[in-house]
Amino acid sequence: DTEVTQTPKHLVMGMTNKKSLKCEQHMGHRAMYWYKQKAKKPPELMFVYSYEKLSINESVPSRFSPECPNSSLLNLHLHALQPEDSALYLCASSQGRQSSGNTIYFGEGSWLTVV
Amino acid sequence: EDKVVQSPLSLVVHEGDTVTLNCSYEVTNFRSLLWYKQEKKAPTFLFMLTSSGIEKKSGRLSSILDKKELFSILNITATQTGDSAVYLCAVITMGNTPLVFGKGTRLSVIA
């Protein structure tokens, strides 16, 4: 079983809503990630936090706002999303920095539908 | 630009068959190659390969890396319907993008 926990598992939101996706890991990992995955496509990187600092933002629109309150938690705040933002949002973590060759473990994902 | 190419993109086999999935890569500063299995949810980690020629095994699954020819294969023997999934290959580089994914191979095992 994955040790990266994501909530909620499913979320339906309107284009004017504000909601958050949450991710938690207790493996002592110091790097955490948000990926977005559309149907029949591989995951696409959105953000990377390394030692609780944002180290990569892959040109993601500002309607997605990440937050890393501490080394175990990662949030993704959502506001004014568009229907095309509907996707599976995956959180992941790894032992250290992304370039150290550490395995990246994924949570089960949050299925987001924007109506 | 870093690139990971998987083949075939999809495959249908009968239970009991053996399959070989391919992953080739062109990246700068290669660190490791990962295989994941994805059913309806998140990718599940299968193997991490860092050195050439050392086979990793887990039950009916095995994988090997060739860093000279820049590819890896994932073998599944005696396939079962539960092996039906998308198999993703990803490469860890020392660049800014932590994982470069291939498009995946969709494997369907029919009884």
Side-chain angles (χ1 to χ4, degrees):
Chain A
D1 284 345
T2 181
E3 293 184 63
V4 179
T5 305
Q6 289 187 240
T7 56
K9 299 240 183 309
H10 298 274
L11 177 63
V12 179
M13 60 186 288
M15 289 189 282
T16 58
N17 290 159
K18 279 187 183 180
K19 297 283 185 186
S20 297
L21 305 180
K22 296 184 184 303
C23 176
E24 192 168 359
Q25 58 86 14
H26 293 290
M27 295 180 279
H29 289 175
R30 300 313 298 270
M32 295 186 77
Y33 313 81
W34 280 115
Y35 283 84
K36 173 183 175 180
Q37 187 174 25
K38 302 281 275 185
K40 298 189 180 179
K41 296 280 173 88
E44 295 174 20
L45 181 66
M46 299 175 74
F47 302 105
V48 181
Y49 272 83
S50 184
Y51 293 83
E52 297 154 56
K53 288 189 168 48
L54 183 64
S55 62
I56 295 177
N57 176 340
E58 290 283 342
S59 303
V60 179
S62 59
R63 56 187 186 268
F64 295 93
S65 173
E67 180 200 13
C68 188
N70 60 55
S71 60
S72 300
L73 294 174
L74 185 65
N75 299 322
L76 186 63
H77 302 300
L78 314 169
H79 175 52
L81 295 195
Q82 304 296 311
E84 59 265 28
D85 296 322
S86 299
L88 176 66
Y89 287 83
L90 293 164
C91 175
S93 69
S94 63
Q95 184 73 34
R97 296 180 195 278
Q98 61 270 14
S99 58
S100 300
N102 295 294
T103 299
I104 297 180
Y105 295 94
F106 287 88
E108 291 201 340
S110 293
W111 289 97
L112 173 67
T113 303
V114 181
V115 297
Chain B
E1 186 184 333
D2 294 337
K3 192 164 62 170
V4 175
V5 177
Q6 291 186 246
S7 64
L9 289 181
S10 67
L11 187 57
V12 181
V13 300
H14 288 96
E15 270 191 315
D17 287 351
T18 293
V19 298
T20 298
L21 310 183
N22 303 292
C23 175
S24 63
Y25 60 91
E26 289 178 34
V27 302
T28 50
N29 298 313
F30 172 90
R31 288 301 302 260
S32 305
L33 185 143
L34 303 174
W35 284 98
Y36 290 92
K37 176 183 180 182
Q38 186 171 28
E39 296 170 88
K40 292 195 196 305
K41 295 185 180 178
T44 304
F45 171 73
L46 294 175
F47 298 113
M48 181 166 81
L49 303 155
T50 305
S51 302
S52 271
I54 299 174
E55 187 183 45
K56 294 274 182 102
K57 290 196 75 162
S58 176
R60 296 175 294 103
L61 277 66
S62 64
S63 183
I64 198 159
L65 174 68
D66 186 328
K67 288 168 74 173
K68 186 177 172 192
E69 300 296 330
L70 308 184
F71 76 92
S72 172
I73 58 171
L74 176 68
N75 277 323
I76 309 175
T77 59
T79 51
Q80 302 170 357
T81 54
D83 295 326
S84 297
V86 174
Y87 289 84
L88 291 166
C89 173
V91 171
I92 298 177
T93 77
M94 292 186 68
N96 282 331
T97 304
L99 277 186
V100 182
F101 279 96
K103 292 189 175 176
T105 293
R106 182 173 295 278
L107 174 66
S108 299
V109 182
I110 54 178

